[in-house]
Amino acid sequence: MKSFGQTDGCKDGFDLKDISKLRFDSIAGYARHPKAALTGEEMAYYETEDGSLLGMIVKDRADGDFAGLVFGRDAKLRFRWTSMTDFMESSEGARDELAKKTGELQDAPDEFHYQDDEKGEPVDFFTSVHPPEKLHPDFRQVASEIGFFPARGIIEPMMRWHEDLDGNFVEQFQSTAFDQRIWELYLFATLVELGFSLDTTHAVPDFIGKSLLGSVAIEAVTVGPTRQGAEIVPPPPIETEEQMDMYLQEYMPIKFGSPLFSKLGKKYWEKKQISGLPLVFAIADFSSPGSMIYTRPALERYLYGYSYEAAHDAQANIVAKPIKIIEHRWGEKVIPSGFFNIPDAKNVSAVISTAGGTISKFNRMGVLAGFDAGDVLMKRTGILVDPDPTTTNPLIFEAMVNADGYRENWVEGLNVYHNPHAVIPLEEHLIPNAAHHYCDADGNRTTNAPQFHPLESRTEIIGGVNVAQMLAEFEGPAIRFGKLL
């Protein structure tokens, strides 16, 4: 009797290899309809040795029998369901039939897998459409350097599913808006991971997701660098504690406030296609290189209009005392604090953000999904919420991304800031495994966070090493924790 993890060839010598759910989802998960989970339970995933076909074993929820599904590339090179086996009494029998089916299809013409609903031609997203001098430096890295091959491997199949309703996604991805497009791809991957199917019939807002648990509308927002004409104005220095305080208390709230306030002017809630749905603004900070690592407190300060200082309660426990903020001032710029207090903001159910919506996230997820970087090792370090309620300091962590036992998903590290005045509140169950933050009219905060919730992290790429040897010598858990001193 064969196990699911066994590599097995059919009579033609056409092998199937066991793959993870993450790898399957990275290549073909975008074809999944949420309602499929009502009738079938996904049991195992496979890939042919040449990568031309994918397979899945499903268990019928009503009858308890098993079948194999085959996925091939459509006319736009997207993996979609194209064939299946008969239902079998055992998973092993379905697995054997799946191997035979993929063997039979290895010589089938490409057109066998076409769906007759494809529009347009497949696009190679990493073939430059610009002269070299116009390419974004990060795009050049991802497109050419071996250390970013995992990111490229996971982005390519994803982008074939991302509908370019504005018609300029590839052009901007390669040049003027690399960060913004990566942020949209991160949101796309996260929504798919959470079980949403995406309505691609409307360009506004960016995403309308529908799942078995409900629907949500999301508009992507980014914070860019300050410019004077075509020139980028450097951010203020943050070398001293005083400089960092002013940067987080005054400068960055204004930076967050500008694009969020502009989005209010679009009045997305008046669009017929999202009537009755919770509307979410998803904001990412790309105001300066690496800024998203430490600007999270500034966003929360601006959204709710409160800062906090340490105090003691009647039992001498340390508590956070809320201090109302009236405005944020930087030079000649002054804005009122408290985005959620703006009258029209009542139509925004929540604001979501993460420090993880960057190319480093795609690189790590690419490694986990089996898009190997060869002789490249990835080491991740950062801080996370300490689940101990008696402490006010976060934990530090260090992780070896290539090591067995390392786990990560797209939603990890996502923060959801709920609007206390929302006309249509966002239900927590629509975005599980994120940290959900609340603040009442008196500034009292509550947070529901998962056990492992990174606040920030950095990924070090170590090239030119024998990864297998280093991992063989690596001892201990894939993720280590420590106290922040």
Side-chain angles (χ1 to χ4, degrees):
M1 183 176 293
K2 304 178 185 71
S3 68
F4 275 149
Q6 181 178 348
T7 298
D8 185 24
C10 71
K11 59 183 179 182
D12 303 277
F14 207 57
D15 290 337
L16 286 179
K17 58 181 179 180
D18 186 271
I19 61 174
S20 67
K21 182 179 184 297
L22 174 59
R23 180 168 178 82
F24 179 89
D25 287 351
S26 300
I27 300 173
Y30 315 108
R32 183 189 289 113
H33 194 284
K35 289 185 178 179
L38 295 175
T39 57
E41 179 184 359
E42 298 176 9
M43 304 297 293
Y45 311 90
Y46 302 95
E47 184 177 11
T48 57
E49 288 293 335
D50 65 354
S52 63
L53 298 172
L54 299 177
M56 177 195 292
I57 300 295
V58 296
K59 180 180 180 181
D60 186 271
R61 293 188 183 277
D63 300 330
D65 49 6
F66 302 84
L69 308 182
V70 180
F71 297 77
R73 296 182 189 272
D74 71 3
K76 295 189 71 174
L77 304 182
R78 301 173 298 186
F79 276 99
R80 300 169 71 180
W81 172 74
T82 60
S83 185
M84 69 180 294
T85 70
D86 293 332
F87 278 92
M88 311 294 292
E89 291 185 0
S90 70
S91 57
E92 291 83 2
R95 202 286 185 200
D96 290 341
E97 290 302 307
L98 179 63
K100 292 178 183 178
K101 179 68 71 173
T102 54
E104 294 167 0
L105 293 176
Q106 63 178 308
D107 295 323
D110 293 342
E111 290 77 12
F112 176 84
H113 302 289
Y114 293 177
Q115 306 280 324
D116 296 329
D117 61 358
E118 300 94 332
K119 297 179 181 179
E121 297 295 323
V123 179
D124 184 346
F125 297 97
F126 289 95
T127 295
S128 175
V129 298
H130 297 286
E133 65 273 13
K134 289 191 175 182
L135 295 177
H136 193 285
D138 289 341
F139 169 78
R140 288 200 300 266
Q141 263 193 328
V142 176
S144 61
E145 294 185 10
I146 189 172
F148 289 91
F149 277 11
R152 175 172 175 164
I154 204 168
I155 286 172
E156 279 184 318
M158 180 187 303
M159 289 182 72
R160 299 198 188 282
W161 280 98
H162 188 278
E163 295 291 341
D164 185 10
L165 297 178
D166 295 327
N168 56 12
F169 192 98
V170 175
E171 182 271 328
Q172 293 186 356
F173 173 71
Q174 295 185 5
S175 58
T176 58
F178 177 84
D179 291 328
Q180 291 91 329
R181 295 316 186 203
I182 284 291
W183 178 234
E184 290 179 26
L185 286 177
Y186 165 80
L187 294 171
F188 177 76
T190 301
L191 287 168
V192 171
E193 177 183 85
L194 295 177
F196 288 95
S197 62
L198 301 177
D199 180 351
T200 58
T201 58
H202 302 281
V204 177
D206 290 312
F207 302 98
I208 301 175
K210 300 178 181 180
S211 76
L212 295 177
L213 300 177
S215 300
V216 64
I218 296 181
E219 176 66 14
V221 191
T222 55
V223 182
T226 300
R227 295 179 180 271
Q228 287 185 348
E231 298 295 321
I232 292 179
V233 178
I238 51 175
E239 299 170 357
T240 67
E241 185 176 346
E242 181 180 3
Q243 289 174 339
M244 177 60 86
D245 286 344
M246 292 299 294
Y247 175 78
L248 296 178
Q249 294 173 14
E250 309 296 339
Y251 178 80
M252 279 309 303
I254 292 176
K255 292 291 291 181
F256 281 117
S258 178
L260 285 172
F261 186 78
S262 295
K263 288 293 182 179
L264 281 183
K266 304 289 186 179
K267 297 186 181 296
Y268 296 98
W269 52 88
E270 295 181 353
K271 303 295 182 182
K272 182 179 179 180
Q273 60 267 28
I274 67 168
S275 177
L277 302 184
L279 172 63
V280 174
F281 286 170
I283 190 165
D285 173 27
F286 297 109
S287 58
S288 61
S291 58
M292 72 289 297
I293 292 175
Y294 38 80
T295 56
R296 174 188 50 82
L299 174 61
E300 186 171 349
R301 178 179 283 111
Y302 169 66
L303 292 176
Y304 292 118
Y306 280 94
S307 63
Y308 298 86
E309 64 179 24
H312 292 85
D313 62 14
Q315 289 73 40
N317 297 315
I318 297 178
V319 296
K321 178 182 178 182
I323 307 295
K324 183 67 176 177
I325 304 171
I326 303 302
E327 63 183 23
H328 301 283
R329 181 183 298 269
W330 187 266
E332 297 180 356
K333 293 185 178 180
V334 182
I335 66 168
S337 191
F339 173 76
F340 288 140
N341 295 327
I342 299 173
D344 271 352
K346 66 184 179 182
N347 299 291
V348 179
S349 304
V351 171
I352 65 176
S353 187
T354 178
T358 65
I359 195 62
S360 292
K361 178 79 168 184
F362 286 84
N363 223 19
R364 297 193 304 270
M365 296 298 286
V367 168
L368 291 176
F371 298 102
D372 192 20
D375 60 350
V376 173
L377 197 70
M378 292 187 194
K379 182 180 179 182
R380 184 187 184 196
T381 56
I383 63 173
L384 70 152
V385 173
D386 190 335
D388 182 355
T390 64
T391 183
T392 58
N393 291 325
L395 292 173
I396 58 174
F397 72 92
E398 178 182 275
M400 194 70 74
V401 177
N402 309 65
D404 289 339
Y406 179 81
R407 297 290 183 270
E408 186 174 354
N409 54 22
W410 289 107
V411 77
E412 178 192 283
L414 186 68
N415 292 290
V416 182
Y417 301 98
H418 291 260
N419 185 353
H421 312 299
V423 174
I424 304 175
L426 176 71
E427 300 295 336
E428 276 194 28
H429 65 255
L430 287 177
I431 309 181
N433 301 316
H436 292 265
H437 307 278
Y438 301 86
C439 183
D440 66 19
D442 297 320
N444 299 306
R445 298 182 304 178
T446 56
T447 293
N448 299 325
Q451 188 77 9
F452 184 84
H453 180 68
L455 299 173
E456 63 186 57
S457 71
R458 295 172 173 83
T459 303
E460 180 184 3
I461 299 174
I462 307 170
V465 299
N466 187 326
V467 174
Q469 180 180 341
M470 293 189 69
L471 291 178
E473 297 172 353
F474 181 75
E475 296 180 356
I479 304 178
R480 296 182 172 95
F481 303 94
K483 292 289 186 179
L484 187 64
L485 301 178

